[in-house]
Amino acid sequence: MAKLNFLEGMRVVDLSTFVAGPTCAKLLGEYGAEVIRIEPHIGDSVRYVARQLIGVRNGDNPFYDTVNGNKRQICVETRTPEGLEILHRLLAKADVFVCNMRKEQAQRSGLDWESIHAKYPRIIYANVTGYGTHGPFAGRAGFDNTAFYSRTGLNCATLPKEQPPTEAYTGIGDIPTGTYLAMGVIAAYVKALRTGEGEFVTASLYGAGMWSEVFPVTFAQEPYNDVYPKPRSARLLLTQNYQDCDGRWFTLNTGNWEKDWPKLARGLGFDEALVRKTDQLNNALPVHEDLYQMVRQAFLQKPYSHWDPLLIDLDISHDLCQTFREVITDEVAIGADLLQPVHYEHSGTDVRLVRSPVQFGAGPSDTQPARPVGADTLAVLRECGYTEQDIARLREHKVIGMAGDPDVHDRTWDSKFGKGT
C-alpha cells in the first residue's frame, strides 16, 4: 500500500450523501487530505444499499467502503441548532466543504455558497446536483439513472429500437461525477493556495453524462447526423464484435485497413489470391457483407484462447467481452493493481475492492475501509474545543452519537440475521 501525501494539509468536511459527493471526498482523502464525514444517527442510506439490493446481511460493506474509505466518521444531527454549530466549527478550520444540496434547501439552513463564502472566504464549496445550477431543470431532483443515464441518451443508444431501455447499474453516473468534482476541487485548491480566495465548484450528474457521451452527442447534430444505436452494417469490418467456437464474444478495433487487413487475412488462413483481391478494398461503409461472413465464419472455427495470442502477435487491438463476475477475478485487473484484496474480520469474508484508476510512481493507494457511524465523534469534538461536559450534554440530547450507542445505526448490520449471507 502506498500512502499518498499530495494533499497533506487539506482539511475537508464531507456533508454529502449517496455516492457522487462522497466519491469526491474519498478521492481527496486517498490523495492525503484529512476528511471528516458527517452522518446522522441512522447513517447514510448508502450504508445499506448492498443489503437492500444484493441481500448482504453479514455486515460487509464493500460498496460503502469504496466511496467512503479514507475518512474520519462523526455522527452529528446538523438539522439541530447545536449540530449546526458543530458543523460551523469544523468549517472554520476547513479548506473544502463537500455537499449535495439544492439551493433552496441550502439557503434554509444558511449553508448556501453565498452564506458560507461570506463567513469563510477561503473555503472551497464543492456541490453535486442532478441537473446543474442554471437552466429549466436547476433545482430538480436527479439520480444517475435519470440525469446521467436517461436524459443524455445513453440508455437508448446501445439497443435496437424495439427493445426497452436497460436498467442502469448502481453508481453508473455517480462515480464519474464525483471524480470530475474532485478534479475541480483540486484546481480550486491550487488557486486558494495562491490567492487565499475560495471558490464555488459544482458538478452535475447531467453534465457528467453529457461529457461522458461527448462523441455521440456532438455528432448527432447537423450536419453530421450520426445515429445510435448502430447496426452491424454501420460498423467497420475491423471494428466488429465476433464470436468464437464456444460462443464467447470478443471485439476487434482497428481502422488501419492497409496495415492490419493483410495480416488478419493471412492469420485467418485466407489464400493469397483473396488477400490480394480484398486488399484493393478498404475498411469503409457499408461493410462488405460477403467478406464479413468469411471473417465471421473463420473466427467461429476456434476458441478465443487460440485467437487471442494470434491477434497479439499480429498487433491487432482486441479484447474479450467479459461479465462483471469475470472482471472481479480477472488476472489482468489483478496484475495491473486495479483490485484491492480486503478481508472482513467480523464475517471472515474475502472480497476485492476496485481501486481508483489514477496511479502514481509511489504505487497504487489502498482504500482504508470505512469506520462505523460516529467512530471519531469524540476525538473530533475535542479537537473543536468542546469540553467533556459539552460532549456529554450533546450526546444526552441526541445531537451527537458515537459508535456503539444504541441509537447509532450502521444499517449494514442487523443482529437478527447473524453473520449469514
Side-chain angles (χ1 to χ4, degrees):
M1 170 183 176
K3 180 69 174 177
L4 302 179
N5 60 0
F6 303 126
L7 297 180
E8 190 172 298
M10 176 193 278
R11 293 174 59 92
V12 180
V13 175
D14 178 15
L15 190 65
S16 61
T17 57
F18 300 112
V19 180
T23 296
C24 168
K26 187 266 182 180
L27 288 173
L28 299 176
E30 185 174 318
Y31 295 163
E34 178 194 359
V35 181
I36 298 174
R37 174 160 174 74
I38 303 173
E39 294 177 273
H41 282 70
I42 60 173
D44 185 18
S45 60
V46 174
R47 282 190 182 267
Y48 66 92
V49 163
R51 180 179 149 193
Q52 182 184 40
L53 299 181
I54 313 299
V56 173
R57 291 174 175 152
N58 59 5
D60 301 345
N61 208 336
F63 181 68
Y64 187 84
D65 288 345
T66 300
V67 298
N68 281 294
N70 308 92
K71 302 178 184 180
R72 303 173 78 188
Q73 305 276 345
I74 70 171
C75 174
V76 179
E77 298 293 340
T78 56
R79 296 187 181 185
T80 66
E82 297 92 343
L84 193 59
E85 170 60 26
I86 293 171
L87 173 61
H88 276 286
R89 288 203 191 186
L90 292 170
L91 292 177
K93 297 180 179 180
D95 299 292
V96 182
F97 177 40
V98 181
C99 58
N100 58 319
M101 291 183 287
R102 286 181 270 176
K103 188 171 184 179
E104 294 77 10
Q105 173 194 9
Q107 287 175 333
R108 285 195 299 269
S109 54
L111 296 176
D112 56 293
W113 156 246
E114 291 78 11
S115 300
I116 294 297
H117 184 58
K119 287 186 177 182
Y120 317 109
R122 294 189 77 258
I123 206 165
I124 296 161
Y125 187 102
N127 190 37
V128 175
T129 67
Y131 293 92
T133 58
H134 306 288
F137 275 22
R140 178 168 170 163
F143 285 88
D144 59 350
N145 64 332
T146 56
F148 181 98
Y149 188 64
S150 295
R151 189 92 194 166
T152 60
L154 183 59
N155 75 345
C156 289
T158 57
L159 291 171
K161 291 183 179 180
E162 62 273 12
Q163 293 190 30
T166 58
E167 179 183 356
Y169 56 79
T170 301
I172 187 173
D174 290 311
I175 302 298
T177 303
T179 303
Y180 299 155
L181 183 63
M183 178 179 66
V185 168
I186 293 171
Y189 185 58
V190 172
K191 172 199 168 186
L193 292 175
R194 186 178 69 250
T195 67
E197 185 72 12
E199 184 61 71
F200 176 74
V201 184
T202 185
S204 70
L205 295 163
Y206 186 35
M210 293 283 285
W211 182 247
S212 300
E213 283 96 64
V214 64
F215 188 95
V217 169
T218 298
F219 289 105
Q221 65 187 312
E222 297 283 356
Y224 316 109
N225 299 310
D226 196 23
V227 176
Y228 281 82
K230 292 187 178 298
R232 180 188 56 74
S233 60
R235 299 185 65 186
L236 302 174
L237 181 69
L238 299 185
T239 59
Q240 293 278 351
N241 297 317
Y242 292 99
Q243 274 185 305
D244 70 358
C245 65
D246 297 322
R248 290 303 308 265
W249 287 95
F250 60 96
T251 301
L252 298 186
N253 192 343
T254 171
N256 194 329
W257 178 270
E258 293 80 7
K259 169 177 162 293
D260 291 330
W261 168 248
K263 296 190 302 183
L264 178 62
R266 294 185 179 101
L268 293 176
F270 294 173
D271 62 51
E272 283 299 317
L274 179 63
V275 173
R276 288 193 297 272
K277 178 181 178 182
T278 55
D279 195 29
Q280 304 306 310
L281 303 173
N282 56 55
N283 198 24
L285 299 173
V287 168
H288 305 286
E289 186 63 24
D290 292 343
L291 194 55
Y292 164 76
Q293 291 299 337
M294 291 179 63
V295 174
R296 186 180 75 86
Q297 288 298 326
F299 278 129
L300 282 170
Q301 302 309 305
K302 294 182 179 180
Y304 181 75
S305 59
H306 170 84
W307 299 120
D308 181 41
L310 174 65
L311 293 169
I312 291 174
D313 288 342
L314 297 176
D315 197 27
I316 293 177
S317 178
H318 67 286
D319 217 329
L320 188 64
C321 300
Q322 296 198 119
T323 65
F324 291 135
R325 178 169 290 188
E326 289 172 318
V327 170
I328 204 66
T329 58
D330 189 355
E331 291 301 324
V332 176
I334 294 170
D337 289 323
L338 299 179
L339 296 171
Q340 172 192 336
V342 170
H343 177 73
Y344 288 105
E345 292 288 347
H346 56 272
S347 67
T349 305
D350 292 294
V351 299
R352 294 187 176 106
L353 303 184
V354 179
R355 285 191 170 103
S356 60
V358 178
Q359 296 186 2
F360 303 90
S365 59
D366 282 353
T367 292
Q368 301 169 3
R371 292 163 61 76
V373 179
D376 301 294
T377 303
L378 180 60
V380 170
L381 261 61
R382 284 172 174 168
E383 293 167 10
C384 288
Y386 285 91
T387 67
E388 300 301 315
Q389 293 75 18
D390 293 334
I391 293 171
R393 177 181 56 80
L394 293 167
R395 190 178 187 184
E396 179 183 358
H397 291 98
K398 312 299 182 186
V399 175
I400 66 171
M402 300 182 191
D405 287 353
D407 57 339
V408 172
H409 303 287
D410 180 343
R411 289 187 282 186
T412 62
W413 178 265
D414 191 327
S415 59
K416 73 179 180 179
F417 292 114
K419 293 187 178 181
T421 57

